[in-house]
Amino acid sequence: MEFLPLFHNLRGSRVLVVGGGEIALRKSRLLADAGAVLRVVAPQIEDQLRELVLGSGGDLMLRGYQEADLDGCVLIIAATDDEPLNAQVSSDAKRRCVPVNVVDAPALCSVIFPAIVDRSPLVIAVSSGGDAPVLARLIRAKLETWIPSTYGQLAGLAARFRAQVKGLYPDVQQRRAFWEEVFQGPIADRQLAGQGDEAERLLIEKVNGAPPYAPGEVYLVGAGPGDPDLLTFRALRLMQQADVVLYDRLVAPAILELCRRDAERVYVGKRRAEHAVPQDQINQQLVDLAKQGKRVLRLKGGDPFIFGRGGEEIEELAAHGIPFQVVPGITAASGCAAYAGIPLTHRDYAQSVRFITGHLKNGTSDLPWQDLVGPSQTLVFYMGLIGLPIICQQLILHGRAADTPAALIQQGTTSNQRVFTGTLADLPRMVAEHEVHAPTLVIVGEVVVLREKLKWFEGAQSQV
Ligand code: SAH
């Protein structure tokens, strides 16, 4: 091991930074975050750096470096682009046995800055010993995605009970078991879901020796339109901890793959006009499984609150007092539009966008056609494949120009994505000429021409 990782308490201690530019600013920010009192020496100092130094209660020295600047400092940073000067600062510091860091010169350093994941009080440091800082940063980025931003609050919660638990369980094994249960069970779940008060209440119960509290919970999670890269961090985390997964046809297999390996999987269908499991039975199943103490993942295509009947499901859960959390997903309109190169709004073409169900219950009568033909609005029809001829015909009949651009996107964001563009007058015929597979989304409005203008092509998204 070339460098031993240590965490340095700098609060109230003076740190010297030699240099007044961008890099000095970056290092100084970190030091100020850790509570250091900054001393910055440079002939010229950037305004932001000045403010930072004064804010830290430190001193600015607008001149060249002198060895005496090291006096009283517990850590030295050389951040200039003058190599001989950096080397001088390093040797002065080493002679005085004060830790020194020279930016981008590992050989001159006695200490180095790691890449940091900050979930204070939990802090993770990653270092390559200065050999491959980019690699360390990439690893940090991976850790950032694995560790929810609320982890710090979880550590904070544990800190508040640490002494009490230590008193309760003098034996270290018992104590470890106690905290493992806390960090892997419903208490951590609540805290990570932002329900700090509830987490604290449960922890108090646990400390007071209440019987293990193991309520089930339902995660209503939006899985996005198809590309697994479009999942949110929270969705992925809950997918990996749920005991049982109830999913629809719309959830792509590649996404289902990411659920915990040993989780039970239940297909609850939902094909147009063919509901494999009726909605009230799905609701009931969620309630029953949660009552058995299971962590139930209700995984839905797109966003659960957009044509997803998510509202009905949580109504039922609320009626039974079952805890739940809802995780938004990228809805088909956003995903398909982005991957097809069609901005849904645009200063010159559309000032509003509407998401509409194209599932026409009574033929034509149940959509407010008159409202849909106004200028400068983009219309997005979900579930509009079967009704496409009627939708286009009604829009024209009610006054939207027959040459209004329109697009149909099949299996948007997946490797099977296909996009058909035309006008209200000819899109239905174009689509009828091809074998089109569900799910499909229809976008109507002038913004559709931007796809041509942007010279968008299939796969463009994966090229950028
Ligand atoms: N909750 C989902 C929508 C459910 S309704 C969401 O927010 O996206 C089902 C309809 O969504 C489908 O009929 C289709 O119109 C649309 N849809 C979902 N995923 C799609 C995809 N990958 N490509 C095109 N349309 C999609």
Side-chain angles (χ1 to χ4, degrees), residues 43-271:
Q44 282 182 340
I45 298 181
E46 286 210 358
D47 287 350
Q48 284 184 52
L49 182 52
R50 259 170 216 266
E51 278 172 33
L52 204 63
V53 173
L54 298 177
S56 79
D59 37 2
L60 287 162
M61 297 179 175
L62 284 166
R63 55 161 173 72
Y65 160 79
Q66 298 164 3
E67 196 194 328
D69 295 335
L70 271 67
D71 293 348
C73 294
V74 299
L75 175 66
I76 315 298
I77 316 295
T80 77
D81 48 13
D82 176 345
E83 285 183 20
L85 175 59
N86 285 347
Q88 179 66 46
V89 174
S90 167
S91 76
D92 290 348
K94 284 180 177 168
R95 198 166 355 92
R96 291 180 174 216
C97 301
V98 183
V100 60
N101 175 269
V102 180
V103 176
D104 278 341
L108 298 178
C109 295
S110 61
V111 294
I112 51 178
F113 281 83
I116 294 170
V117 181
D118 186 3
R119 303 282 190 270
S120 287
L122 185 81
V123 177
I124 302 169
V126 182
S127 161
S128 64
D131 288 345
V134 175
L135 188 63
R137 247 174 272 146
L138 289 177
I139 292 173
R140 183 200 63 185
K142 282 193 194 292
L143 291 171
E144 289 274 8
T145 64
W146 288 340
I147 300 170
S149 55
T150 37
Y151 244 70
Q153 291 162 21
L154 185 58
L157 175 71
R160 293 201 294 282
F161 286 83
R162 188 164 174 237
Q164 199 180 346
V165 172
K166 198 168 177 184
L168 222 58
Y169 301 107
D171 175 58
V172 70
Q173 297 284 357
Q174 275 183 327
R175 209 154 65 228
R176 187 175 302 153
F178 177 92
W179 285 119
E180 276 176 5
E181 272 176 39
V182 169
F183 292 139
Q184 293 176 39
I187 297 177
D189 270 2
R190 296 292 180 282
Q191 183 68 59
L192 296 180
Q195 300 159 9
D197 291 348
E198 181 63 4
E200 179 148 356
R201 192 185 67 74
L202 293 175
L203 185 50
I204 291 170
E205 272 184 11
K206 191 171 169 65
V207 166
N208 292 334
Y213 175 85
E217 189 180 5
V218 175
Y219 313 137
L220 183 58
V221 173
D227 183 345
D229 278 6
L230 296 180
L231 284 171
T232 60
F233 295 156
R234 182 176 285 196
L236 192 60
R237 182 166 56 78
L238 296 177
M239 285 161 68
Q240 290 179 351
Q241 74 181 35
D243 303 308
V244 47
V245 184
L246 274 72
Y247 65 99
D248 294 338
R249 187 181 56 95
L250 264 186
V251 175
I255 289 179
L256 209 55
E257 272 292 293
L258 298 172
C259 291
R260 210 176 91 192
R261 289 252 164 267
D262 55 347
E264 186 190 335
R265 281 146 214 239
V266 183
Y267 174 66
V268 290
K270 278 225 181 143
R271 202 182 288 269

Side-chain angles (χ1 to χ4, degrees), residues 323-342:
F324 60 85
Q325 33 182 315
V326 182
V327 182
I330 292 186
T331 188
S334 303
C336 294
Y339 280 52
I342 302 173

